[in-house]
């Protein structure tokens, strides 16, 4: 995914991973918020014919419990018919179920400066009953979403919406390099002959400059920008 350089390559990687994870359909929505309450939406999916016409309505989106969850939280949601019935939206599930959207997993990543990425994978068969297997699927999807979000912001947004490359200090870059190798903050501090608290400070500064919510996203973005190798 990180090597994708075009919309077509991005779409191919999305579909390939969706199938590998045992799902039929996917939807990846990149959102950029602007002033005055305006937002740009870039949607890539493999929905069947007729589905978009049946579901493409702001009023339906406001009632959809999965989309409302993703707007407010970053925690993944595993959904099925019960999710919609519980929120008095069983009729929405009935409509999408006709197109094979009977159950799935969705999650959202919310970044600074009004960037958002929503990833959903759906299928008609029930999800695994084994909680360990379902946890593995969710974890795989979360990791993939971090890579997909980074690529989406790079290949889908026009040049004027791309963020400027930040300037990181040598210590911040070193902290990211060792984090990339799997080192903890304590280990990074020992390697760089600094305290664990100082290592955490360097990582936090790097995350802030890169506009990331955690150190793993910061490492991926630094790699994409060519700041570390």
């Amino acid at each position: 995914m990180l090597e994708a350089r075009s919309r077509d390559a991005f779409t191919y990687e999305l579909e390939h991973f969706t199938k590998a994870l045992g799902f039929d359909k996917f939807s990846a929505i990149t959102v950029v918020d602007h002033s005055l309450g305006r937002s740009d939406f870039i949607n890539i999916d493999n929905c069947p014919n007729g589905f978009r016409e049946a579901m493409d309505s702001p009023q339906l989106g406001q009632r959809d419990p999965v989309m409302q969850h993703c707007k407010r939280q970053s925690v993944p949601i595993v959904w099925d018919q019960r999710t919609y019935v519980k929120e008095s939206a069983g009729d929405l599930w009935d409509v999408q179920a006709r197109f094979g959207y009977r159950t799935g997993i969705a999650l959202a990543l919310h970044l600074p400066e009004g960037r958002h990425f929503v990833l959903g994978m759906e299928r008609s068969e029930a999800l695994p009953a084994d909680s360990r297997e379902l946890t593995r699927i969710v974890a795989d999807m979360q990791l993939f979403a971090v890579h997909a979000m980074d690529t989406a912001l790079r290949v889908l947004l026009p040049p004027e919406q791309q963020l400027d490359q930040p300037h990181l200090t040598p210590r911040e870059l070193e902290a990211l390099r060792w984090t990339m190798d799997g080192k903890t903050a304590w280990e990074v501090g020992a390697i760089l002959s600094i305290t664990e608290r100082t290592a955490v400070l360097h990582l936090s500064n790097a995350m802030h400059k890169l506009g990331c919510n955690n150190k793993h996203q910061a490492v991926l973005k630094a790699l994409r920008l060519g700041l570390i190798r």
Side-chain angles (χ1 to χ4, degrees):
M1 174 58 76
L2 286 176
E3 296 177 357
R5 294 290 182 271
S6 67
R7 184 188 182 102
D8 288 343
F10 177 63
T11 303
Y12 171 83
E13 295 298 339
L14 279 170
E15 189 158 19
H16 178 75
F17 184 81
T18 298
K19 300 295 184 183
L21 213 57
F23 291 88
D24 304 314
K25 303 169 183 66
F26 69 85
S27 176
I29 307 173
T30 305
V31 184
V32 178
D33 295 330
H34 302 284
S35 58
L36 304 177
R38 183 177 65 85
S39 299
D40 290 335
F41 294 83
I42 305 173
N43 187 36
I44 293 181
D45 57 48
N46 63 343
C47 65
N49 293 333
F51 175 78
R52 189 174 289 107
E53 290 75 10
M55 300 295 293
D56 190 12
S57 165
Q59 290 73 28
L60 294 182
Q62 292 171 4
R63 294 182 56 214
D64 190 315
V66 176
M67 290 306 299
Q68 292 305 310
H69 173 94
C70 289
K71 285 177 64 176
R72 299 184 178 95
Q73 302 186 45
S74 296
V75 179
I77 178 173
V78 179
W79 62 269
D80 57 16
Q81 184 178 18
R82 293 168 295 182
T83 308
Y84 284 79
V85 171
K86 182 180 177 181
E87 299 298 328
S88 301
D91 57 313
L92 296 185
W93 184 88
D94 291 336
V95 173
Q96 64 186 34
R98 297 201 301 266
F99 295 92
Y101 293 80
R102 304 180 68 88
T103 185
I105 303 171
L107 61 91
L109 300 173
H110 303 287
L111 301 178
E113 302 191 36
R115 263 75 169 164
H116 313 275
F117 183 74
V118 183
L119 178 64
M121 295 184 182
E122 304 84 17
R123 67 190 202 184
S124 56
E125 300 83 10
L127 294 175
D130 186 339
S131 61
R132 293 173 298 180
E133 176 65 12
L134 185 57
T135 298
R136 182 195 64 79
I137 292 175
V138 172
D140 287 348
M141 186 173 168
Q142 285 180 293
L143 180 59
F144 178 79
V146 173
H147 292 72
M149 172 200 64
D150 190 74
T151 301
L153 296 176
R154 172 168 49 84
V155 304
L156 300 181
L157 297 187
E160 62 271 16
Q161 292 184 7
Q162 298 285 341
L163 299 178
D164 294 333
Q165 182 165 309
H167 173 72
L168 273 64
T169 67
R171 279 300 201 195
E172 292 163 357
L173 292 173
E174 285 182 307
L176 285 177
R177 287 193 193 97
W178 288 111
T179 299
M180 178 180 64
D181 288 341
K183 304 299 183 183
T184 65
W186 182 87
E187 292 172 320
V188 171
I191 292 169
L192 300 180
S193 298
I194 57 179
T195 66
E196 179 181 6
R197 183 175 180 179
T198 302
V200 170
L201 179 61
H202 287 318
L203 287 170
S204 297
N205 288 339
M207 288 161 47
H208 176 73
K209 291 179 179 179
L210 291 166
C212 297
N213 292 326
N214 60 59
K215 61 183 182 181
H216 303 296
Q217 290 181 3
V219 166
L220 288 172
K221 187 167 185 177
L223 281 168
R224 178 178 67 79
L225 294 174
L227 299 176
I228 60 175
R229 299 186 183 280

